[in-house]
Amino acid sequence: MRPFRGRVFNNADTQCQGIEGVPVSDGLHVVRTDAEGCFELPGHDDTRFISIHQPSDLAVSCHFIRTDAAVASYDFAMRPKPRREHFTFVHIADTETAEMGDWLDELKDFVRDTRPAFLFHTGDLCYARGIDWHSRNVTSTNMGTPVYTSLGNHDLLTGDYGEQFFETHVGPVSYSFEEGNVLFVVTPMRHGDFEPSYSQARIFTWLQNLLALFPQKQPKIIFNHDLLTNGPNFEFGDGNEDAGNVIELNACNLKAWLYGHWHSHFHKRHGSDGPISLGTAVVAKGISLQEGKHFWDGGWWETGPDVEVQVGGTWVPATGVAVTPRLPSEGITGAWAGTAAQVTSYEEFEFTFDPVETTGVRLIGNTGGQDHFISIGEMRITGLEGSNCAGPRPPPPPPPPPP
């Protein structure tokens, strides 16, 4: 196998000056460019991309080049960009669609209003139609900010190998970039609907080689479709459960593990001062509640309920709460006027509250009946439209002056 050689240079410089110290990878090995901006990678049996790491003060139009015997040199033209000391980014997951909908326009509005450094999708574009649709519609050009994507279990499809269709339409499944002082690392889900060509050992080696090039104390955030662990220690293993090696990510200053997969909004601090894991959050504004059947021994609310939301891992009362037609625990009117609320089953209630970015919403109250339980038919959380998440839209620009 011939080595993969190339050069990284400053596209804004008329002399195309080489850039020293930029990490480049073949999917297993990771090296930094030399003083002339040149690099050489040995490759491996499944090298299909040469990808470049984007430092916080440099950008590239595409962070990978597909390998081809006809390519003599894998050259990347980078351009300087301002380094952000403070920044935000948008995290989405599990869109699982191949159809245009309001959500995409609302997401574009949200990106326009908040101006994040990038948008990250942690996978499950969902099968060939979904991957193809996202590759054409959820792009850096269409969204107005850099878009990155990781591989989900429903993105591993039939073919020569599970990630083949994803690679063809999206790109490599493992890569890295920086924003501010943070190193962001993208890793693929290990298993899915079809087996991938990569092994846990290969991803482990790539990650080990990547982390070796960065200070141990540099803050790090890892994206993956699934949560690595629910315990306090983030240990990334090589797949050998008996006597394998592990990377102690806590010791590498891992700040957060961001994921999707579970279709729920989880937020957890792992240990007293360990990393945070965060499933996709939501801006919530209400609850649609249909009670279930009320039984002789319970199933109804005796008081309340009150609405609580989870913010920063802590449950707090929601503000601005209003309920129609009344609180479930209040007496009813009409033919059953004056009787207890437990008489009527399957009633529907609408709770509204001030919009809040939250990882959980719950109802809290005392239960009635001797067995003290609540019967729920259905409970839905109402989210705020993306176009309003950042507050009022800025006014449109003034019309151009007349000629």
Side-chain angles (χ1 to χ4, degrees), residues 241-257:
E241 297 182 359
D242 296 327
N245 299 308
V246 298
I247 301 172
E248 300 284 353
L249 293 173
N250 294 55
C252 297
N253 200 18
L254 178 68
K255 293 298 185 181
W257 184 283

Side-chain angles (χ1 to χ4, degrees), residues 54-135:
Q54 296 182 85
S56 57
D57 58 352
L58 291 170
V60 66
S61 58
C62 183
H63 66 91
F64 60 88
I65 300 174
R66 301 178 193 275
T67 57
D68 191 304
V71 177
S73 182
Y74 294 85
D75 299 338
F76 292 92
M78 304 200 80
R79 62 186 184 279
K81 71 170 187 176
R83 175 187 168 96
R84 303 177 189 230
E85 296 302 324
H86 304 282
F87 64 92
T88 62
F89 62 90
V90 176
H91 172 211
I92 63 174
D94 300 276
T95 43
E96 298 190 355
T97 185
E99 298 178 359
M100 191 71 71
D102 292 342
W103 71 271
L104 186 61
D105 289 333
E106 292 166 0
L107 181 59
K108 288 179 182 179
D109 289 344
F110 182 72
V111 167
R112 181 202 61 210
D113 293 346
T114 59
R115 298 180 180 179
F118 60 89
L119 182 153
F120 201 98
H121 193 310
T122 45
D124 269 7
L125 314 182
C126 218
Y127 310 126
R129 291 181 66 245
I131 293 173
D132 176 67
W133 184 87
H134 282 80
S135 71

Side-chain angles (χ1 to χ4, degrees), residues 360-392:
V361 180
R362 69 183 184 185
L363 295 172
I364 296 291
N366 292 331
T367 55
Q370 68 180 36
D371 288 342
H372 298 287
F373 66 91
I374 294 297
S375 177
I376 300 294
E378 183 177 30
M379 178 175 168
R380 294 189 177 189
I381 308 303
T382 305
L384 189 66
E385 290 187 1
S387 57
N388 295 325
C389 288

Side-chain angles (χ1 to χ4, degrees), residues 17 24 40 89 111 145 212 214 278 308 341 402:
Q17 186 74 30
V24 188
E40 179 176 307
F89 62 90
V111 167
T145 194
F214 293 88
L278 183 65
E308 291 188 350

